Amino acid sequence: MELERMSGWAEETEDTEKDPPPKTCWEKFHTTISNWMLPPDHRTTYMERANCLPPPIFIISISIIELGVFIYYAVWMPQKQWITLDTGITKSPFIYRPDKREEAWRFLSYMLVHAGVQHIIGNLFLQLFLGIPLEMVHKGHRVGLVYIAGVIGGSLASSIFDPHLALVGASGGVYALIGGYFMNVIVNFKDMVPLFGIFRIISIVLIVGTDVGFALYRRYISKVAGPQVSFVAHFAGGLAGMTIGYTVFSCFDKNLIKDPRFWICIAAYVAFLVFAVFFNIFLSPVS
């Protein structure tokens, strides 16, 4: 009996001394994503079903389309310079223009057109840097919902609060992703390593501050060529992300349509859409 106990103890000791198998590159990649995108209580669930199927099709596809449209207007349409686009995009059927607001598709299609190299690079960097890991965790239909909500909310808000200016760029959608992610960081801050949470918040503040600062500089200080464009979509997109985006991204392992918070946010968003449409039809100062 004593020999059996010693043998069993030796086997247990030997088992405990075995090192766990090393993580593959994909496992390390998914672990990093889960640490950045999810609170601790959801990371195990994500790792159990983590895969790259489907890949982040939405955010990559929309980025390729936006880049293609920029190249088209920069190269083939008449421009004085391609660093800051002017003549081509002002006549584009995609740009949102107050005098063309009866063409309803412009409230969405303006996201495809950008005002210059800095504009397109900034938006593409932000939406790929944040959108790819978000889509790997939450999948394309959820990321797409938040992105499009920010784009449409941005153009409608601009038509109300900055009604005389045109609008270009995907900033509304980008800021919706940032707003949703930011709210999740704030709400789950107590479950994170403090320095890690602080680093994420500081990173978001620096990125947003730099981008908004550049937009304000271009609008009020710089005398660069090209049309004046509104920056209201930045704030409206961020607000859409902090409401709809936060709700969508916090339902990682839940059925979204069964979450009452989602329907409350959707109802508020629809109410805003109805008011914005009414304003543009009956109250807009633009003739």
Side-chain angles (χ1 to χ4, degrees):
M1 294 293 293
E2 184 67 24
L3 289 175
E4 290 179 357
R5 285 196 295 268
M6 292 179 64
S7 176
W9 178 82
E11 290 177 358
E12 291 177 3
T13 304
E14 186 177 336
D15 289 338
T16 56
E17 289 178 351
K18 289 182 179 179
D19 294 328
K23 290 184 177 181
T24 65
C25 293
W26 278 115
E27 288 175 332
K28 293 179 181 179
F29 178 63
H30 284 296
T31 299
T32 302
I33 288 178
S34 67
N35 290 339
W36 273 92
M37 296 295 150
L38 292 169
D41 55 333
H42 289 160
R43 291 172 189 166
T44 301
T45 303
Y46 171 75
M47 292 301 299
E48 289 173 352
R49 62 191 192 192
N51 57 64
C52 293
L53 298 175
I57 294 174
F58 171 80
I59 203 68
I60 292 177
S61 298
I62 201 68
S63 298
I64 291 174
I65 294 171
E66 290 167 2
L67 181 60
V69 171
F70 175 80
I71 292 173
Y72 170 75
Y73 283 106
V75 176
W76 284 286
M77 294 299 289
Q79 303 290 337
K80 294 180 180 178
Q81 55 177 336
W82 68 282
I83 299 297
T84 301
L85 309 186
D86 46 33
T87 308
I89 64 170
T90 58
K91 297 179 180 179
S92 169
F94 297 130
I95 184 176
Y96 169 75
R97 286 173 45 180
D99 60 325
K100 298 285 188 180
R101 67 186 186 282
E102 70 278 1
E103 298 174 350
W105 70 82
R106 292 176 181 264
F107 285 93
L108 177 63
S109 64
Y110 78 94
M111 70 178 181
L112 302 176
V113 187
H114 289 78
V117 172
Q118 303 97 325
H119 197 197
I120 184 75
I121 290 178
N123 278 345
L124 289 182
F125 170 78
L126 288 174
Q127 70 186 30
L128 289 172
F129 178 75
L130 186 58
I132 287 178
L134 277 174
E135 189 167 343
M136 292 187 68
V137 172
H138 300 285
K139 304 308 178 184
H141 63 289
R142 293 192 175 191
V143 172
L145 172 64
V146 175
Y147 189 90
I148 298 301
V151 169
I152 297 176
S155 58
L156 288 173
S158 181
S159 71
I160 295 172
F161 297 105
D162 216 350
H164 296 285
L165 292 186
L167 188 64
V168 294
S171 296
V174 173
Y175 274 70
L177 300 182
I178 294 175
Y181 178 67
F182 178 75
M183 284 298 295
N184 274 279
V185 172
I186 295 296
V187 171
N188 297 299
F189 184 82
K190 64 180 180 180
D191 297 323
M192 300 176 183
V193 178
L195 288 178
F196 190 42
I198 292 173
F199 172 75
R200 286 198 274 190
I201 292 174
I202 292 176
S203 298
I204 293 172
V205 171
L206 288 176
I207 291 172
V208 171
T210 301
D211 189 56
V212 172
F214 177 76
L216 292 173
Y217 171 80
R218 177 183 174 86
R219 170 72 181 276
Y220 294 110
I221 300 176
S222 176
K223 302 300 182 181
V224 296
Q228 288 292 321
V229 296
S230 175
F231 59 85
V232 174
H234 294 71
F235 300 103
L239 184 60
M242 294 173 71
T243 52
I244 294 178
Y246 164 66
T247 304
V248 170
F249 296 152
S250 65
C251 291
F252 165 69
D253 56 351
K254 298 178 182 177
N255 191 333
L256 188 61
I257 64 175
K258 293 183 179 180
D259 190 334
R261 298 175 303 168
F262 174 72
W263 292 110
I264 291 172
C265 291
I266 290 296
Y269 186 82
V270 170
F272 165 72
L273 293 185
V274 171
F275 170 77
V277 171
F278 180 87
F279 178 90
N280 275 278
I281 294 175
F282 300 107
L283 302 175
S284 177
V286 181
S287 57

